[in-house]
Amino acid sequence: MKPAKNRPIPRPGQESVWDYPRPPRVEPSDELVRIYQGGELILETTESVRVLETSHPPVYYVPAAAFIPGSLVSAPGTSFCEFKGMAAYLSVHGGGIAAERAAWYYPDPTPGFESLKGLVAVYPGLVDCCEVAGERVQPQAGGFYGGWITSRVVGPFKGEPGTLGW
């Protein structure tokens, strides 16, 4: 994997995704995370973990139990991560609106990623809005990726045009 030329230098308080490790690191976060769907607040928590992987914005995983009842519904399909194992999908419901396969989780994460058990990640581009510490998240480009871009991180990010070979 190679970073694009002329990558930005992080300012104080920022992180470069090019300083994140591969394989990814899981770290706890106490930042306030909110998720909205259908105009309704469906999650508010200060208990999350960030998964940090080279070239990717952080993916926030939040406790499944922190979502309002009925907002997560099993969805068809699975995918495989070389690091975390087999993922299952969820549809996210709120305010009478369903976002199909807008979230995923690892029922049996692989060794080293056991801390993801019971946690759910949400694609920020498929729900109304995700926030971290009061800042609205921008979704990672590319459709497949679920990174949460805030002013705290600098890229360039995997998923943007020209990054397929990274």
Side-chain angles (χ1 to χ4, degrees):
M1 194 174 301
K2 61 178 182 162
K5 295 178 183 176
N6 302 322
R7 61 185 172 122
I9 296 172
R11 295 186 311 254
Q14 289 184 316
E15 304 168 344
S16 170
V17 298
W18 292 97
D19 293 330
Y20 294 162
R22 187 169 172 86
R25 177 174 75 237
V26 178
E27 68 177 32
S29 173
D30 62 0
E31 298 167 288
L32 178 61
V33 174
R34 290 186 179 120
I35 299 173
Y36 297 85
Q37 176 60 6
E40 180 178 7
L41 178 65
I42 61 167
L43 175 124
E44 183 174 57
T45 187
T46 55
E47 297 178 17
S48 65
V49 299
R50 299 187 320 149
V51 174
L52 309 175
E53 181 177 355
T54 305
S55 79
H56 295 267
V59 175
Y60 283 77
Y61 286 75
V62 295
F67 284 85
I68 65 168
S71 61
L72 298 177
V73 177
S74 287
T78 59
S79 62
F80 181 76
C81 171
E82 64 183 306
F83 302 114
K84 298 178 281 298
M86 190 66 67
Y89 287 86
L90 300 162
S91 294
V92 177
H93 294 249
I97 307 288
E100 300 301 324
R101 291 175 47 98
W104 74 97
Y105 67 101
Y106 293 93
D108 295 302
T110 58
F113 293 92
E114 298 91 348
S115 61
L116 297 181
K117 182 101 175 160
L119 302 179
V120 173
V122 172
Y123 289 104
L126 297 181
V127 296
D128 285 0
C129 175
C130 296
E131 296 177 354
V132 175
E135 180 180 351
R136 187 181 181 117
V137 169
Q138 299 302 311
Q140 182 178 6
F144 176 76
Y145 305 110
W148 292 33
I149 300 172
T150 65
S151 61
R152 178 178 173 184
V153 295
V154 296
F157 306 110
K158 176 82 170 174
E160 294 172 353
T163 65
L164 186 60
W166 290 0

